[in-house]
């Protein structure tokens, strides 16, 4: 059922199953969380890069690379979590997605380093260090915030 059909059915007074409402609300919340993750990453990495480079241009570079890499990685993680949910629930008590996250984050460090090198002209080594520091900082703060919010709200 597409969005317009759902709205038309609702406006015409047709009964809409609770499962469908739950699915649509869940999707909306997930997209809000993806947006919040992007904004937090941009803010955290923007502040961090300014502390290390003391140049506003680097903040702009950080925003550009994160507009590409952050949504891509979070959508992949979201997809993997959904696909593996039943498997994880029945066969493991731990987090199956941890290896995927590690591989994706390592790929992001390399991709962002290549982007920083292309935009700044710094050596690949300096770009890798910068990318690693920015990503480890935002990942660690994001992990802390995620854990903290999970305890408070769920």
């Amino acid at each position: 059922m597409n969005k317009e059909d759902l709205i038309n059915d609702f406006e015409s007074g047709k009964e809409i199953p609770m499962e469908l409402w739950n699915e649509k609300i869940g999707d909306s919340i997930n997209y809000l969380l993806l947006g919040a993750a992007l904004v937090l990453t941009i803010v955290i990495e923007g502040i961090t890069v300014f502390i290390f480079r003391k140049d506003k241009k680097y903040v702009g570079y950080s925003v550009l690379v994160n507009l590409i890499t952050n949504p891509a990685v979070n959508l992949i993680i979201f997809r993997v979590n959904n696909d593996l949910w039943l498997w994880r629930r029945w066969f493991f008590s731990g987090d199956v997605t941890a290896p995927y996250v590690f591989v994706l984050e390592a790929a992001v460090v390399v991709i962002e380093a290549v982007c920083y090198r292309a935009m700044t002209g710094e050596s690949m080594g300096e770009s890798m260090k910068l990318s690693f520091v920015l990503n480890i900082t935002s990942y660690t703060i994001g992990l802390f915030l995620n854990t903290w919010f999970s305890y408070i709200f769920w």
Side-chain angles (χ1 to χ4, degrees), residues 1-17 20-21:
M1 176 175 279
N2 66 36
K3 181 179 167 184
E4 289 77 25
D5 290 341
L6 185 64
I7 292 170
N8 290 337
D9 287 350
F10 179 74
E11 289 174 346
S12 67
K14 185 176 178 185
E15 183 72 25
I16 299 177
L20 186 57
W21 281 116

PDB file of all heavy atoms in Angstrom, residues 1-17 20-21:
ATOM      1  N   MET A   1       0.847  -1.165   0.000  1.00  0.00           N
ATOM      2  CA  MET A   1       0.000   0.000   0.000  1.00  0.00           C
ATOM      3  C   MET A   1       0.898   1.235   0.000  1.00  0.00           C
ATOM      4  O   MET A   1       1.778   1.365   0.826  1.00  0.00           O
ATOM      5  CB  MET A   1      -0.891  -0.023   1.247  1.00  0.00           C
ATOM      6  CG  MET A   1      -1.745   1.203   1.405  1.00  0.00           C
ATOM      7  SD  MET A   1      -2.898   1.087   2.793  1.00  0.00           S
ATOM      8  CE  MET A   1      -4.186   0.143   2.051  1.00  0.00           C
ATOM      9  N   ASN A   2       0.667   2.115  -0.971  1.00  0.00           N
ATOM     10  CA  ASN A   2       1.498   3.308  -1.017  1.00  0.00           C
ATOM     11  C   ASN A   2       0.919   4.403  -0.121  1.00  0.00           C
ATOM     12  O   ASN A   2      -0.178   4.298   0.412  1.00  0.00           O
ATOM     13  CB  ASN A   2       1.703   3.797  -2.455  1.00  0.00           C
ATOM     14  CG  ASN A   2       0.424   4.287  -3.105  1.00  0.00           C
ATOM     15  OD1 ASN A   2      -0.422   4.880  -2.446  1.00  0.00           O
ATOM     16  ND2 ASN A   2       0.292   4.058  -4.401  1.00  0.00           N
ATOM     17  N   LYS A   3       1.687   5.470   0.019  1.00  0.00           N
ATOM     18  CA  LYS A   3       1.344   6.552   0.931  1.00  0.00           C
ATOM     19  C   LYS A   3      -0.008   7.184   0.587  1.00  0.00           C
ATOM     20  O   LYS A   3      -0.824   7.435   1.468  1.00  0.00           O
ATOM     21  CB  LYS A   3       2.459   7.594   0.890  1.00  0.00           C
ATOM     22  CG  LYS A   3       2.266   8.764   1.794  1.00  0.00           C
ATOM     23  CD  LYS A   3       3.460   9.697   1.666  1.00  0.00           C
ATOM     24  CE  LYS A   3       3.205  11.028   2.303  1.00  0.00           C
ATOM     25  NZ  LYS A   3       4.304  11.953   2.108  1.00  0.00           N
ATOM     26  N   GLU A   4      -0.241   7.443  -0.692  1.00  0.00           N
ATOM     27  CA  GLU A   4      -1.484   8.088  -1.107  1.00  0.00           C
ATOM     28  C   GLU A   4      -2.697   7.203  -0.812  1.00  0.00           C
ATOM     29  O   GLU A   4      -3.729   7.689  -0.362  1.00  0.00           O
ATOM     30  CB  GLU A   4      -1.451   8.455  -2.600  1.00  0.00           C
ATOM     31  CG  GLU A   4      -0.510   9.602  -2.931  1.00  0.00           C
ATOM     32  CD  GLU A   4       0.956   9.191  -2.959  1.00  0.00           C
ATOM     33  OE1 GLU A   4       1.256   7.992  -3.194  1.00  0.00           O
ATOM     34  OE2 GLU A   4       1.804  10.059  -2.722  1.00  0.00           O
ATOM     35  N   ASP A   5      -2.576   5.893  -1.052  1.00  0.00           N
ATOM     36  CA  ASP A   5      -3.678   4.977  -0.743  1.00  0.00           C
ATOM     37  C   ASP A   5      -3.990   4.980   0.744  1.00  0.00           C
ATOM     38  O   ASP A   5      -5.150   4.970   1.144  1.00  0.00           O
ATOM     39  CB  ASP A   5      -3.343   3.549  -1.189  1.00  0.00           C
ATOM     40  CG  ASP A   5      -3.319   3.406  -2.702  1.00  0.00           C
ATOM     41  OD1 ASP A   5      -3.892   4.255  -3.397  1.00  0.00           O
ATOM     42  OD2 ASP A   5      -2.725   2.417  -3.169  1.00  0.00           O
ATOM     43  N   LEU A   6      -2.962   4.991   1.567  1.00  0.00           N
ATOM     44  CA  LEU A   6      -3.149   5.000   3.005  1.00  0.00           C
ATOM     45  C   LEU A   6      -3.866   6.272   3.447  1.00  0.00           C
ATOM     46  O   LEU A   6      -4.810   6.223   4.237  1.00  0.00           O
ATOM     47  CB  LEU A   6      -1.808   4.864   3.727  1.00  0.00           C
ATOM     48  CG  LEU A   6      -1.841   4.740   5.237  1.00  0.00           C
ATOM     49  CD1 LEU A   6      -2.553   3.461   5.647  1.00  0.00           C
ATOM     50  CD2 LEU A   6      -0.442   4.757   5.800  1.00  0.00           C
ATOM     51  N   ILE A   7      -3.453   7.407   2.915  1.00  0.00           N
ATOM     52  CA  ILE A   7      -4.092   8.683   3.266  1.00  0.00           C
ATOM     53  C   ILE A   7      -5.537   8.705   2.788  1.00  0.00           C
ATOM     54  O   ILE A   7      -6.436   9.101   3.542  1.00  0.00           O
ATOM     55  CB  ILE A   7      -3.286   9.868   2.682  1.00  0.00           C
ATOM     56  CG1 ILE A   7      -1.941   9.983   3.390  1.00  0.00           C
ATOM     57  CG2 ILE A   7      -4.070  11.170   2.807  1.00  0.00           C
ATOM     58  CD1 ILE A   7      -0.969  10.938   2.751  1.00  0.00           C
ATOM     59  N   ASN A   8      -5.762   8.269   1.559  1.00  0.00           N
ATOM     60  CA  ASN A   8      -7.131   8.245   1.034  1.00  0.00           C
ATOM     61  C   ASN A   8      -8.027   7.318   1.855  1.00  0.00           C
ATOM     62  O   ASN A   8      -9.171   7.660   2.162  1.00  0.00           O
ATOM     63  CB  ASN A   8      -7.145   7.816  -0.435  1.00  0.00           C
ATOM     64  CG  ASN A   8      -6.557   8.871  -1.352  1.00  0.00           C
ATOM     65  OD1 ASN A   8      -6.522  10.051  -1.010  1.00  0.00           O
ATOM     66  ND2 ASN A   8      -6.074   8.436  -2.509  1.00  0.00           N
ATOM     67  N   ASP A   9      -7.508   6.147   2.207  1.00  0.00           N
ATOM     68  CA  ASP A   9      -8.288   5.215   3.022  1.00  0.00           C
ATOM     69  C   ASP A   9      -8.613   5.822   4.391  1.00  0.00           C
ATOM     70  O   ASP A   9      -9.726   5.709   4.886  1.00  0.00           O
ATOM     71  CB  ASP A   9      -7.536   3.896   3.211  1.00  0.00           C
ATOM     72  CG  ASP A   9      -7.514   3.055   1.945  1.00  0.00           C
ATOM     73  OD1 ASP A   9      -8.237   3.396   0.990  1.00  0.00           O
ATOM     74  OD2 ASP A   9      -6.762   2.067   1.918  1.00  0.00           O
ATOM     75  N   PHE A  10      -7.629   6.473   4.989  1.00  0.00           N
ATOM     76  CA  PHE A  10      -7.834   7.093   6.293  1.00  0.00           C
ATOM     77  C   PHE A  10      -8.883   8.208   6.213  1.00  0.00           C
ATOM     78  O   PHE A  10      -9.782   8.298   7.043  1.00  0.00           O
ATOM     79  CB  PHE A  10      -6.509   7.643   6.832  1.00  0.00           C
ATOM     80  CG  PHE A  10      -6.638   8.322   8.158  1.00  0.00           C
ATOM     81  CD1 PHE A  10      -6.817   7.585   9.313  1.00  0.00           C
ATOM     82  CD2 PHE A  10      -6.571   9.706   8.257  1.00  0.00           C
ATOM     83  CE1 PHE A  10      -6.940   8.206  10.544  1.00  0.00           C
ATOM     84  CE2 PHE A  10      -6.695  10.338   9.480  1.00  0.00           C
ATOM     85  CZ  PHE A  10      -6.871   9.589  10.633  1.00  0.00           C
ATOM     86  N   GLU A  11      -8.754   9.060   5.177  1.00  0.00           N
ATOM     87  CA  GLU A  11      -9.695  10.179   5.022  1.00  0.00           C
ATOM     88  C   GLU A  11     -11.112   9.715   4.720  1.00  0.00           C
ATOM     89  O   GLU A  11     -12.073  10.384   5.086  1.00  0.00           O
ATOM     90  CB  GLU A  11      -9.206  11.130   3.936  1.00  0.00           C
ATOM     91  CG  GLU A  11      -7.981  11.932   4.361  1.00  0.00           C
ATOM     92  CD  GLU A  11      -7.395  12.784   3.251  1.00  0.00           C
ATOM     93  OE1 GLU A  11      -7.756  12.577   2.064  1.00  0.00           O
ATOM     94  OE2 GLU A  11      -6.574  13.657   3.566  1.00  0.00           O
ATOM     95  N   SER A  12     -11.241   8.583   4.052  1.00  0.00           N
ATOM     96  CA  SER A  12     -12.580   8.091   3.726  1.00  0.00           C
ATOM     97  C   SER A  12     -13.187   7.262   4.869  1.00  0.00           C
ATOM     98  O   SER A  12     -14.301   6.768   4.751  1.00  0.00           O
ATOM     99  CB  SER A  12     -12.547   7.258   2.436  1.00  0.00           C
ATOM    100  OG  SER A  12     -11.822   6.067   2.654  1.00  0.00           O
ATOM    101  N   GLY A  13     -12.458   7.122   5.961  1.00  0.00           N
ATOM    102  CA  GLY A  13     -12.981   6.414   7.120  1.00  0.00           C
ATOM    103  C   GLY A  13     -12.767   4.910   7.091  1.00  0.00           C
ATOM    104  O   GLY A  13     -13.289   4.196   7.945  1.00  0.00           O
ATOM    105  N   LYS A  14     -11.995   4.423   6.129  1.00  0.00           N
ATOM    106  CA  LYS A  14     -11.729   2.989   6.047  1.00  0.00           C
ATOM    107  C   LYS A  14     -10.834   2.550   7.208  1.00  0.00           C
ATOM    108  O   LYS A  14      -9.924   3.264   7.607  1.00  0.00           O
ATOM    109  CB  LYS A  14     -11.058   2.668   4.709  1.00  0.00           C
ATOM    110  CG  LYS A  14     -10.849   1.200   4.477  1.00  0.00           C
ATOM    111  CD  LYS A  14     -10.275   0.935   3.098  1.00  0.00           C
ATOM    112  CE  LYS A  14     -10.026  -0.544   2.916  1.00  0.00           C
ATOM    113  NZ  LYS A  14      -9.365  -0.819   1.655  1.00  0.00           N
ATOM    114  N   GLU A  15     -11.122   1.376   7.730  1.00  0.00           N
ATOM    115  CA  GLU A  15     -10.343   0.816   8.827  1.00  0.00           C
ATOM    116  C   GLU A  15      -8.944   0.444   8.321  1.00  0.00           C
ATOM    117  O   GLU A  15      -8.800  -0.243   7.312  1.00  0.00           O
ATOM    118  CB  GLU A  15     -11.050  -0.431   9.370  1.00  0.00           C
ATOM    119  CG  GLU A  15     -10.376  -1.053  10.562  1.00  0.00           C
ATOM    120  CD  GLU A  15     -10.533  -0.230  11.836  1.00  0.00           C
ATOM    121  OE1 GLU A  15     -11.508   0.534  11.929  1.00  0.00           O
ATOM    122  OE2 GLU A  15      -9.678  -0.367  12.715  1.00  0.00           O
ATOM    123  N   ILE A  16      -7.939   0.898   9.040  1.00  0.00           N
ATOM    124  CA  ILE A  16      -6.557   0.588   8.680  1.00  0.00           C
ATOM    125  C   ILE A  16      -5.985  -0.283   9.783  1.00  0.00           C
ATOM    126  O   ILE A  16      -6.057   0.074  10.969  1.00  0.00           O
ATOM    127  CB  ILE A  16      -5.734   1.879   8.503  1.00  0.00           C
ATOM    128  CG1 ILE A  16      -6.347   2.705   7.370  1.00  0.00           C
ATOM    129  CG2 ILE A  16      -4.278   1.559   8.245  1.00  0.00           C
ATOM    130  CD1 ILE A  16      -5.721   4.006   7.104  1.00  0.00           C
ATOM    131  N   PRO A  17      -5.422  -1.452   9.414  1.00  0.00           N
ATOM    132  CA  PRO A  17      -4.912  -2.386  10.425  1.00  0.00           C
ATOM    133  C   PRO A  17      -3.805  -1.763  11.282  1.00  0.00           C
ATOM    134  O   PRO A  17      -2.971  -1.002  10.780  1.00  0.00           O
ATOM    135  CB  PRO A  17      -4.361  -3.560   9.613  1.00  0.00           C
ATOM    136  CG  PRO A  17      -4.820  -3.360   8.224  1.00  0.00           C
ATOM    137  CD  PRO A  17      -5.234  -1.950   8.060  1.00  0.00           C
ATOM    138  N   LEU A  20      -0.211  -2.121  10.086  1.00  0.00           N
ATOM    139  CA  LEU A  20       0.215  -1.176   9.054  1.00  0.00           C
ATOM    140  C   LEU A  20       0.606   0.162   9.679  1.00  0.00           C
ATOM    141  O   LEU A  20       1.615   0.759   9.302  1.00  0.00           O
ATOM    142  CB  LEU A  20      -0.884  -0.987   8.007  1.00  0.00           C
ATOM    143  CG  LEU A  20      -0.517  -0.138   6.796  1.00  0.00           C
ATOM    144  CD1 LEU A  20       0.690  -0.711   6.074  1.00  0.00           C
ATOM    145  CD2 LEU A  20      -1.702  -0.066   5.841  1.00  0.00           C
ATOM    146  N   TRP A  21      -0.174   0.630  10.641  1.00  0.00           N
ATOM    147  CA  TRP A  21       0.176   1.867  11.344  1.00  0.00           C
ATOM    148  C   TRP A  21       1.521   1.704  12.043  1.00  0.00           C
ATOM    149  O   TRP A  21       2.382   2.589  11.978  1.00  0.00           O
ATOM    150  CB  TRP A  21      -0.887   2.240  12.379  1.00  0.00           C
ATOM    151  CG  TRP A  21      -2.096   2.897  11.808  1.00  0.00           C
ATOM    152  CD1 TRP A  21      -3.362   2.405  11.828  1.00  0.00           C
ATOM    153  CD2 TRP A  21      -2.173   4.150  11.129  1.00  0.00           C
ATOM    154  NE1 TRP A  21      -4.225   3.270  11.201  1.00  0.00           N
ATOM    155  CE2 TRP A  21      -3.519   4.363  10.761  1.00  0.00           C
ATOM    156  CE3 TRP A  21      -1.234   5.123  10.789  1.00  0.00           C
ATOM    157  CZ2 TRP A  21      -3.951   5.493  10.090  1.00  0.00           C
ATOM    158  CZ3 TRP A  21      -1.668   6.256  10.115  1.00  0.00           C
ATOM    159  CH2 TRP A  21      -3.003   6.436   9.770  1.00  0.00           C
TER     160      TRP A  21
END
